[in-house]
DNA sequence: AACTCAATCAACCGCCAGGTA
DNA sequence: CTACCTGGCGGTTGATTGAGT
């Protein structure tokens, strides 16, 4: 049985609303409230579907809406929140009184995205674009065969490939770029209970900032499918290991961190396998991530992890440690505390 | 003035989650 | 448990506007 349409569309008007229609809708809702939206157009004398009325009211006619361009602080908050939670426009809008999700979404797509790109920041990952290129140079997607190999070959000059592959140069943005990057956050102080739970940490992993600095130290391991224990968990003070199953064309990735200023990381080489397989096989990346992330987000998650870690490392008084698979972030840093608090409220 | 192109944003669409019968 | 309804969400479309030639 197919899905029923939201309303009977025969004879209903579509397209831009007229002033007269607006007036009818405002009069009705201010007098009676909207109640059931399906009934609103009938009772208000409008040839519109209820859904159209609801959208017109919430996005345009509501009396508490702000008009005009978003302020600089609103824009900054949108960027911070987007870095933390992605395209959850309604959640973001909830933090900006008088603004609608549609408005923020449009603003993001038409202005902020462009602005970030001009600043050399990827609007999806919030990582510096040249760092993403570096990630790709160091570890292009593993090809299936020679033909695929050619397809995936990054468009680099041979001398650049050699340079990027040199162990000394397997690092993130150069020092000059780091120095020129803007301050990481406008977030102000709030309180948070620490340590964070794993799922809260997962949210923070998606926090990326223009100041993220990642030093790359990639390596790939072959892990037997029967060897499900994650060696890196033991060897690295803070690591997550994407387990490898050669039979399933899965490749290990390791992310490890320290407090010395350099962050060693390597994004995952992930091929199309269902999350359930990972859940079964992976102790570390099992439950919390499967709850929090969609399969397609894993690479983004990994990128976000890198960037978030880099960002947090730069904040004052921040410390990362790992105990029994949980990520503990202990910090008196007001920026981090306020961000975590905002995330908690969502 | 006429035309093209890009930017903007209101509105639409399909999907999903939660509630209810 | 299932089917259905409703409200809400995020992606996309397309009409309008303005800048450039």
């Amino acid at each position: 049985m197919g899905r029923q349409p939201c309303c009977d569309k025969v004879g209903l008007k579509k397209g831009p609303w007229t002033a007269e229609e607006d007036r009818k809708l405002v009069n009705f809702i201010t007098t009676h409230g909207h109640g059931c939206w399906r009934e609103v157009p009938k009772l208000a004398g409008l040839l519109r579907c209820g859904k159209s009325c609801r959208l017109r009211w919430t996005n345009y006619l509501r009396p508490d809406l702000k008009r005009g361009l978003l302020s600089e602080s609103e824009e900054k908050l949108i960027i911070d929140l987007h870095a933390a939670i992605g395209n959850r426009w309604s959640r973001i809008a909830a933090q900006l009184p008088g603004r609608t999700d549609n408005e923020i979404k449009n603003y993001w797509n038409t202005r902020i995205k462009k602005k970030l790109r001009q600043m050399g920041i990827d609007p999806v990952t919030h990582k510096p674009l040249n760092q993403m290129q570096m990630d790709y140079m160091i570890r292009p997607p593993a090809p299936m065969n020679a033909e695929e190999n050619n397809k995936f070959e990054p468009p680099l000059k041979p001398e650049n490939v050699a340079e990027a592959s040199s162990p000394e140069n397997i690092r993130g943005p150069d020092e000059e770029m780091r120095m020129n990057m803007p301050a990481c956050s406008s977030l102000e102080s709030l309180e948070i209970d620490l340590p964070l739970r794993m799922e809260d940490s997962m949210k923070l992993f998606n926090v990326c900032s223009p100041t993220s600095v990642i030093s790359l130290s990639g390596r790939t391991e072959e892990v037997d499918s029967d060897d499900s224990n994650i060696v890196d968990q033991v060897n690295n003070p803070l690591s997550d290991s994407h387990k490898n199953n050669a039979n399933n064309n899965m490749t290990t990735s390791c992310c490890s961190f320290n407090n010395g200023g350099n962050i060693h990381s390597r994004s995952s080489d992930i091929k199309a396998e269902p999350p359930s397989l990972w859940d079964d096989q992976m102790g570390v990346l099992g439950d919390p991530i499967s709850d929090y992330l969609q399969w397609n987000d894993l690479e983004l998650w990994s990128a976000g992890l890198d960037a978030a870690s880099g960002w947090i490392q730069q904040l004052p008084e921040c410390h990362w440690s790992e105990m029994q698979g949980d990520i503990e972030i202990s910090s008196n840093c007001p920026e981090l505390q306020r961000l975590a608090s905002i995330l908690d409220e969502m």
Side-chain angles (χ1 to χ4, degrees), chain A residues 264-337:
Chain A
H264 304 289
S265 71
R266 181 181 171 281
S267 300
S268 58
D269 233 348
I270 299 165
K271 300 202 178 156
E273 293 293 336
S276 58
L277 182 61
W278 282 59
D279 291 348
D280 290 345
Q281 294 187 340
M282 295 171 55
V284 172
L285 290 184
D287 295 340
I289 290 181
S290 63
D291 286 340
Y292 190 70
L293 297 169
Q294 298 296 316
W295 172 248
N296 289 338
D297 290 335
L298 277 168
E299 287 226 80
L300 278 180
W301 172 82
S302 188
L305 172 63
D306 289 349
S309 306
W311 177 62
I312 288 168
Q313 286 284 354
Q314 293 182 31
L315 297 175
E317 301 180 45
C318 276
H319 169 71
W320 283 66
S321 64
E322 183 187 42
M323 295 183 67
Q324 297 178 342
D326 288 335
I327 307 293
E328 178 182 340
I329 302 171
S330 54
S331 170
N332 295 319
C333 172
E335 286 90 347
L336 187 57
Q337 289 178 358

Side-chain angles (χ1 to χ4, degrees), chain A residues 4-304:
Chain A
Q4 302 246 332
C6 71
C7 52
D8 178 11
K9 291 182 178 172
V10 178
L12 292 184
K13 191 167 176 286
K14 286 172 68 173
W17 281 63
T18 64
E20 175 64 12
E21 287 177 311
D22 282 347
R23 190 187 57 77
K24 283 183 178 176
L25 185 59
V26 170
N27 283 346
F28 178 82
I29 292 179
T30 50
T31 309
H32 304 97
H34 63 73
C36 174
W37 281 110
R38 200 187 182 95
E39 299 302 312
V40 166
K42 295 175 195 166
L43 298 172
L46 290 162
L47 289 172
R48 297 272 182 175
C49 73
K51 196 170 184 173
S52 181
C53 292
R54 179 172 57 80
L55 279 174
R56 183 65 180 170
W57 175 258
T58 55
N59 287 339
Y60 197 80
L61 298 175
R62 245 170 54 199
D64 58 331
L65 288 180
K66 275 188 194 170
R67 303 287 182 188
L69 286 176
L70 279 80
S71 69
E72 205 168 311
S73 60
E74 285 176 315
E75 183 177 312
K76 185 73 179 72
L77 183 57
I78 290 169
I79 294 171
D80 285 339
L81 291 171
H82 186 274
I85 62 174
N87 297 359
R88 296 180 187 173
W89 306 117
S90 62
R91 305 268 181 103
I92 293 172
Q95 304 297 320
L96 292 150
R99 303 294 186 182
T100 69
D101 54 351
N102 206 36
E103 184 179 15
I104 290 168
K105 179 171 56 185
N106 283 331
Y107 194 81
W108 177 269
N109 285 328
T110 60
R111 299 180 192 215
I112 298 180
K113 253 173 144 177
K114 193 165 54 182
K115 203 170 176 179
L116 289 177
R117 285 203 186 99
Q118 282 168 356
M119 293 166 66
I121 299 162
D122 180 68
V124 177
T125 63
H126 295 251
K127 291 170 76 174
L129 284 167
N130 70 339
Q131 181 194 316
M132 295 183 73
Q133 186 184 9
M134 183 66 81
D135 286 350
Y136 189 77
M137 287 157 59
I138 291 161
R139 191 192 43 76
M144 302 297 289
N145 52 41
E147 193 181 332
E148 293 289 308
N149 192 14
N150 290 335
K151 195 163 74 181
F152 284 119
E153 195 65 35
L156 291 173
K157 296 176 183 173
E159 61 269 28
N160 290 344
V161 172
E163 191 181 350
S165 304
S166 164
E168 304 85 58
N169 291 327
I170 302 180
R171 305 186 73 81
D174 61 32
E175 203 61 34
E176 186 184 356
M177 181 174 175
R178 295 185 210 180
M179 292 303 114
N180 290 335
M181 285 176 174
C184 63
S185 175
S186 64
L187 296 169
E188 293 165 8
S189 67
L190 280 173
E191 292 180 2
I192 183 174
D193 293 332
L194 293 169
L196 297 173
R197 290 169 295 125
M198 185 63 176
E199 60 208 60
D200 294 326
S201 303
M202 289 297 109
K203 294 174 187 173
L204 285 168
F205 287 171
N206 284 331
V207 176
C208 313
S209 142
T211 55
S212 299
V213 176
I214 311 293
S215 297
L216 295 159
S217 173
R219 64 192 175 96
T220 301
E221 292 179 13
E222 293 295 322
V223 178
D224 189 274
S225 58
D226 293 326
D227 182 12
S228 58
N229 292 325
I230 298 169
V231 177
D232 295 305
Q233 277 290 107
V234 178
N235 292 341
N236 294 322
L238 177 55
S239 70
D240 75 70
S241 302
H242 301 175
K243 281 175 38 185
N244 178 44
N245 181 336
N247 295 332
N248 290 321
N249 282 334
M250 295 173 75
T251 308
T252 302
S253 76
C254 310
C255 302
S256 61
F257 309 89
N258 62 39
N259 290 322
N262 287 336
I263 300 140
H264 304 289
S265 71
R266 181 181 171 281
S267 300
S268 58
D269 233 348
I270 299 165
K271 300 202 178 156
E273 293 293 336
S276 58
L277 182 61
W278 282 59
D279 291 348
D280 290 345
Q281 294 187 340
M282 295 171 55
V284 172
L285 290 184
D287 295 340
I289 290 181
S290 63
D291 286 340
Y292 190 70
L293 297 169
Q294 298 296 316
W295 172 248
N296 289 338
D297 290 335
L298 277 168
E299 287 226 80
L300 278 180
W301 172 82
S302 188

Side-chain angles (χ1 to χ4, degrees), chain A residues 77 81 95 187 190 338-346:
Chain A
L77 183 57
L81 291 171
Q95 304 297 320
L187 296 169
L190 280 173
R338 173 152 186 251
L339 175 62
S341 177
I342 288 172
L343 293 172
D344 262 359
E345 290 167 9
M346 293 181 166

